């Protein structure tokens, strides 16, 4: 791990430690392998909160944070430990099969975490007698219930002691607190997101060149994914949506297996992930390279909503206000064009929210507190958001002229909130209808 990464994760642990306070202890489990079929697992993916605090991407790990310091292992006198990482034991045979393990001795030099232990030793701190000394115990309950293998056994042991611990010590899930922290990105994180955006933009540019009637949605997806990997991304941030024609009206369409038709639109919602950080971009292209008059009319309305919302972004404004602005612009545009009689009906056709926070998760951790209508609604510098207005007219849309049915348009950009307003991280991405047509002609 390079110095910058080490410093970033150390700063996150320090801040988390400050927030939970000296009368607390946190035990946060990392992810474990998930079986795909027979003896093959899905590619390993670390839990995002654990990644945020450690940057460590081996399975079967756990992080302990004790803001007041403790003796570790318990009983050992005088080694005041503030943080410890529990990792897999070195095992030459297993490493031959599944790859190198860091080993506890390298935890400090490689990751900058105070001390490393083999994960079996975790049991020594999962006892009620030890945990009951703290007023609060922070755990990643929502994630750890999915643990598998050796960590599942340790978890079962932990659960039994939690019955007793909870009578004395408040047990709290870490996700709310970490969600709040994760809402404000550091310089390091912004760099990762920018890189993810750059890779996506390059890949969309390449993919635009191949779009034509007769191609299958899956071929468009394959081209994007090839370019993501070819440009340094390990994987998609989320399953790509490659939706021709009416499929664009299905918001989470991901079967991506239909043939693109002449005269239809193609909505692509996809993003590369870089070093665990996501990008999330949507563009809507004419399959044959030229928008029809009706398609252009809808496209321009959505584009206006996208641009007006981006212009509005600055510290202090509420995300919910931007959401309302988006619906207002869409409603007014449709109403002026005679497509929508009653502006109050706009939600039927704009359907989803105007955007979400973006980071280690595509819908980043802060979303849950937004649902609680908490202060995360007010934007602050360091927030990264998507702005993604859309209009969808599935067949049978009552009150909408038939010629608009089976049309879906969404335009999504990724925006960093700065003191000077919104910085569009995907501004390098083709967006205006005329530019799209020109690019597709060449
Ligand atoms: N790709 C999911 C979203 O745009 O929110
Ligand atoms: Mn998206
Ligand atoms: Mn999105």
């Amino acid at each position: 791990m390079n110095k910058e990464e080490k410093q970033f994760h150390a700063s996150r642990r320090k801040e988390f430690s400050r927030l939970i306070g000296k009368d607390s202890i946190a035990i946060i489990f990392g992810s474990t392998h998930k079986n795909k079929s027979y003896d093959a697992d899905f590619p390993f993916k670390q839990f995002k909160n654990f990644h945020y605090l450690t940057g460590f991407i081996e399975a079967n790990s756990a992080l302990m944070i004790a803001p007041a310091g403790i003796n570790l292992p318990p009983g050992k006198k005088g080694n005041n430990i503030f943080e410890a990482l529990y990792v897999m034991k070195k095992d030459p045979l297993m490493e031959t099969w599944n790859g190198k393990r860091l080993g506890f001795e390298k935890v400090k030099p490689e990751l900058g975490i105070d001390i490393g232990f083999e994960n079996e030793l975790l049991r020594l701190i999962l006892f009620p007698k030890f945990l009951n000394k703290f007023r609060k115990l922070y755990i990643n309950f929502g994630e750890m219930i999915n643990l598998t293998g050796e960590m599942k056994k340790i978890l079962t042991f932990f659960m039994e002691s939690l019955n007793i611990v909870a009578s004395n010590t408040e047990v709290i899930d870490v996700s709310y607190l970490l969600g709040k922290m994760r809402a404000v990105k550091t310089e390091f994180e912004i760099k990762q997101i920018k890189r993810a955006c750059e890779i996506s933009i390059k890949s969309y540019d390449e993919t635009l060149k191949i779009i034509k009637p007769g191609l299958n949605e899956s071929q468009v997806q394959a081209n994007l994914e090839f370019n993501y990997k070819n440009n340094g991304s390990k994987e998609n941030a989320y399953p790509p949506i490659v939706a021709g024609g009416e499929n664009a009206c299905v918001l989470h369409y991901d079967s991506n297996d239909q043939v693109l038709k002449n005269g239809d639109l193609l909505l692509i919602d996809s993003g590369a992930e870089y070093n665990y950080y996501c990008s999330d971009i949507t563009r809507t292209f004419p399959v044959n390279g030229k928008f029809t008059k009706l398609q252009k009319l809808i496209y321009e309305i959505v584009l206006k909503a996208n641009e007006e919302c981006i212009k509005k972004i600055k510290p202090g404004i509420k995300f919910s206000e931007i959401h309302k602005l988006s619906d207002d612009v869409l409603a007014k545009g449709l109403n002026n064009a005679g497509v929508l009689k009653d502006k109050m009906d706009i939600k039927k056709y704009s359907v989803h929210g105007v955007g979400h926070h973006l980071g280690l998760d595509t819908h980043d951790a802060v979303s849950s507190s937004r649902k609680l209508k908490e202060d995360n609604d007010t934007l602050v510098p360091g927030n990264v958001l998507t702005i993604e207005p859309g209009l969808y007219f599935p067949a049978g849309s009552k009150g909408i002229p038939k010629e608009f049915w089976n049309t879906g348009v969404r335009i999504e950009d990724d925006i960093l909130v700065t003191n000077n307003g919104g910085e569009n991280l995907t501004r390098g991405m083709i967006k205006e209808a005329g530019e799209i047509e020109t690019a597709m002609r060449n």
Side-chain angles (χ1 to χ4, degrees), residues 238 269 280 282 355-356 362-363 386 388 412:
Y238 53 92
D269 181 345
D280 180 7
T282 308
H356 48 84
T362 305
H363 287 214
T386 69
E388 50 178 307
E412 176 174 33

Side-chain angles (χ1 to χ4, degrees), residues 277-338:
Y277 283 85
C278 300
S279 57
D280 180 7
I281 304 178
T282 308
R283 287 295 183 264
T284 309
F285 304 117
V287 168
N288 64 13
K290 189 145 178 56
F291 290 95
T292 67
K293 216 170 142 208
L294 292 183
Q295 288 167 348
K296 201 167 209 162
L297 188 147
I298 302 299
Y299 192 88
E300 295 295 349
I301 294 170
V302 176
L303 181 61
K304 188 164 163 42
N306 167 287
E307 288 174 341
E308 301 246 323
C309 289
I310 292 173
K311 262 192 246 156
K312 254 300 186 283
I313 289 180
K314 62 173 183 194
I317 197 160
K318 287 185 183 296
F319 206 2
S320 47
E321 283 173 47
I322 295 177
H323 178 76
K324 189 172 171 308
L325 171 68
S326 174
D327 275 350
D328 287 348
V329 175
L330 296 172
K332 198 165 155 210
L334 287 178
N335 185 259
N336 286 347

